[in-house]
Amino acid sequence: MIPLWIKITYTLFTITTIVVYAVKYPLGNFLWFSDIALVLTVPALWFESSLLASMMAVGTLLPEVFWNVGFFGRLLTGKRLTGLTDYMFDAQKARYLRALSLFHVFLPVLLLWMIARLGYAPKALIAQTVLAWIVLPLTYAITDPEENINWVFGPALVQRNRLSAMLHLGLLMIAFPVLVYVPTHLLLQALFPHYIIRSDLSCLTSGL
């Protein structure tokens, strides 16, 4: 259902990005949800997995909207709308390195296209929530607070107080599912209702 050239092209791009990022950034950088989506979309493409594609969409579509608004807003107007994309305008970073981050632009489109082809898997909401509850504490445990990956360390005031930091982490583990995943899940269900039915029927048929 997914053309071979798309699988190969995306895989080569992802491998290139992983190699470059592994050299230029701390390994903890790969714990960003967007980077996780970049990587897990590879098996989603090759196995044509509705669940994996749906999980990555639930986890990243809304944050990627904010990323794109911040990036294109500043690109077109010169005004800083959000800090998410400050690094894209940092002249000290190599252009090729910033260019690789343009996956934030095409990845949401690719995920929506995959769901349109493969169907939306409603179990993605629970699966992505479980993944987030693994990734967020892991990010807190092994990454540098200065990087503040997935915002697990919060603002500087929170970082100075361990109790406040743990409270912030707990609230973040609630906020991602409630404020990001559930709205995206409901939107995808509304956009692809017939694909949900088709996927369920396919699973039922394959089980007979």
Side-chain angles (χ1 to χ4, degrees):
M1 296 183 67
I2 296 178
L4 181 61
W5 71 267
I6 293 180
K7 297 177 180 180
I8 293 175
T9 302
Y10 183 86
T11 301
L12 291 176
F13 172 83
T14 302
I15 291 173
T16 301
T17 303
I18 290 173
V19 171
V20 173
Y21 278 14
V23 173
K24 295 294 184 178
Y25 294 121
L27 291 180
N29 189 75
F30 289 107
L31 289 173
W32 280 106
F33 287 120
S34 56
D35 288 67
I36 291 173
L38 173 71
V39 174
L40 290 186
T41 298
V42 173
L45 282 168
W46 285 99
F47 293 106
E48 300 190 356
S49 170
S50 171
L51 178 59
L52 271 179
S54 300
M55 284 175 61
M56 297 307 99
V58 166
T60 62
L61 282 184
L62 187 56
E64 296 293 26
V65 166
F66 284 104
W67 192 97
N68 280 275
V69 168
F71 174 68
F72 286 107
R74 184 166 176 176
L75 190 66
L76 296 174
T77 68
K79 295 181 179 180
R80 182 178 183 268
L81 302 178
T82 172
L84 280 174
T85 57
D86 282 352
Y87 69 98
M88 293 296 288
F89 301 91
D90 184 355
Q92 293 184 348
K93 293 187 180 296
R95 288 185 178 180
Y96 75 88
L97 192 58
R98 287 179 281 164
L100 289 175
S101 285
L102 291 176
F103 77 82
H104 291 280
V105 177
F106 65 78
L107 182 57
V109 178
L110 176 62
L111 289 171
L112 287 173
W113 178 80
M114 289 174 67
I115 292 173
R117 302 276 291 193
L118 303 174
Y120 176 68
K123 292 181 180 179
L125 174 61
I126 296 175
Q128 179 60 31
T129 298
V130 171
L131 177 63
W133 286 349
I134 295 172
V135 170
L136 291 172
L138 180 62
T139 304
Y140 182 86
I142 70 174
T143 62
D144 188 342
E146 290 186 4
E147 299 293 331
N148 206 11
I149 293 172
N150 293 323
W151 310 285
V152 295
F153 293 99
L157 182 63
V158 171
Q159 294 179 28
R160 288 195 293 266
N161 186 306
R162 182 169 179 80
L163 180 60
S164 297
M166 295 301 293
L167 177 60
H168 170 79
L169 177 62
L171 292 175
L172 198 64
M173 293 175 68
I174 297 173
F176 266 106
V178 173
L179 301 180
V180 178
Y181 302 162
V182 169
T184 306
H185 166 75
L186 295 176
L187 177 62
L188 292 174
Q189 280 192 318
L191 289 175
F192 304 104
H194 54 298
Y195 291 110
I196 294 173
I197 295 173
R198 187 185 67 182
S199 297
D200 290 344
L201 290 176
S202 297
C203 292
L204 179 61
T205 303
S206 63
L208 296 177

